[in-house]
Amino acid sequence: MFLQRQKLINASSLSGFLLLEFSDIRDWQILHFIGFLSYYLAANAGNLLIISSIASDHHLRGPMYFFLMNLAIQDVGQVSVIIPKAMANSFMNCRHISYSGCVAQALFYLFFVVSDFFLLTVMAYDRYVAICYPLQYQSLMNKRACIQMVSAVWISSFVCGVLHTGGTFVSPFCSNIVNQFFCEIPALLKLACSHLNLFEIGVISCFASIGLGCCIFIFVTYVHIFTAVLRIPSVQGRQKAFSTCLPHLIVFSLFVFTSYFAYLKPTSNSASQLDLAVSLIYSMFLPVMNPIIYSMRNKKIKHALSKLLGLRFSSRNMNSLLQS
């Protein structure tokens, strides 16, 4: 038994891991490849258009657009870490990923997901200052403060990714079969020969505390935001304020719910359709939806996109195009 287990450990260390296979039928594998490719092109096209429009239009220089551009960069990175490998495996009828490739995929995917979470928290603070302290907005959310916030998001996210990934791969694995279509930390933890080590327990506890703190911060922030919005005398002013906050709140709630289910639900030894569906939602749905719900409902972004694409639509035609 010991020799068999040691053989599995050495195999996983040398040859890598076997990822989840959606189907063993060749036609379905090609269909999955086409689906992944279509999604990848759509997600990257939407986010790259947002990045290009904000970078090329001098009217979009406010803090909100700076944060939106960073959010789009994070979404491009997130899908680029996992989708190309999934496409390659489906196209070549392969499940294999190297050990170093799995480490890199887990590290950078976690890095982009955590940075997404932290940036959503910063964006909540930005909306709070804009609505509750409009006269002080320019001084509080100046260029230097925004750069410092985003730098803190990127640096702290990378540190979190290194710690969590290191804590996961420091333990030996008793199997190299990952019940997920990419190297996801919860799926990898199920392969460990022993229970979580003290270092990984500490990292998870730290992450949970930080995540809970961010959720409490955003909840309190929105209590103040909604209280301030209800005091706005004009109906149009209230609608405008709500339109800038509700999309962020909806996406953040969906992000937290799916991440909580994926990372904190009781572990099982086999993958279920529900596990796969939730993983697809939080790993693929949000990056393609963020450009729509955050940016394409913004009139300035629509105008910048029309100029970037060389379009000469009227405002009504542009709205119809983006909503179709």
Side-chain angles (χ1 to χ4, degrees), residues 130-200:
I131 294 175
C132 297
Y133 300 96
L135 299 179
Q136 304 176 29
Y137 181 71
Q138 294 297 330
S139 60
L140 292 176
M141 300 299 296
N142 56 68
K143 183 177 181 180
R144 181 179 179 182
C146 293
I147 293 176
Q148 289 176 343
M149 290 180 185
V150 170
S151 299
V153 165
W154 288 103
I155 294 173
S156 59
S157 301
F158 186 75
V159 172
C160 289
V162 170
L163 292 176
H164 202 1
T165 305
T168 300
F169 283 89
V170 73
S171 301
F173 297 109
C174 288
S175 174
N176 66 339
I177 300 176
V178 183
N179 287 319
Q180 185 55 274
F181 72 98
F182 66 100
C183 286
E184 185 190 34
I185 296 293
L188 291 169
L189 290 175
K190 298 175 185 179
L191 307 181
C193 295
S194 58
H195 296 292
L196 296 178
N197 56 73
L198 293 178
F199 177 78
E200 182 64 9

Side-chain angles (χ1 to χ4, degrees), residues 222-242:
Y222 271 101
V223 169
H224 288 284
I225 288 175
F226 290 145
T227 301
V229 169
L230 293 176
R231 294 175 181 171
I232 298 177
S234 65
V235 176
Q236 185 177 4
R238 289 196 297 268
Q239 290 177 346
K240 183 178 180 180
F242 276 124

Side-chain angles (χ1 to χ4, degrees), residues 38 41 43 56 89 99 101 111 121 123 153 155 158 165 176 188-189 219 224 229 233 263 269 315 323:
S38 301
L41 293 177
S56 62
N89 283 359
Y99 187 87
F111 163 59
T121 306
M123 293 171 70
V153 165
I155 294 173
F158 186 75
T165 305
N176 66 339
L188 291 169
L189 290 175
F219 175 79
H224 288 284
V229 169
Y263 279 78
N269 293 326
S315 177
Q323 292 175 1

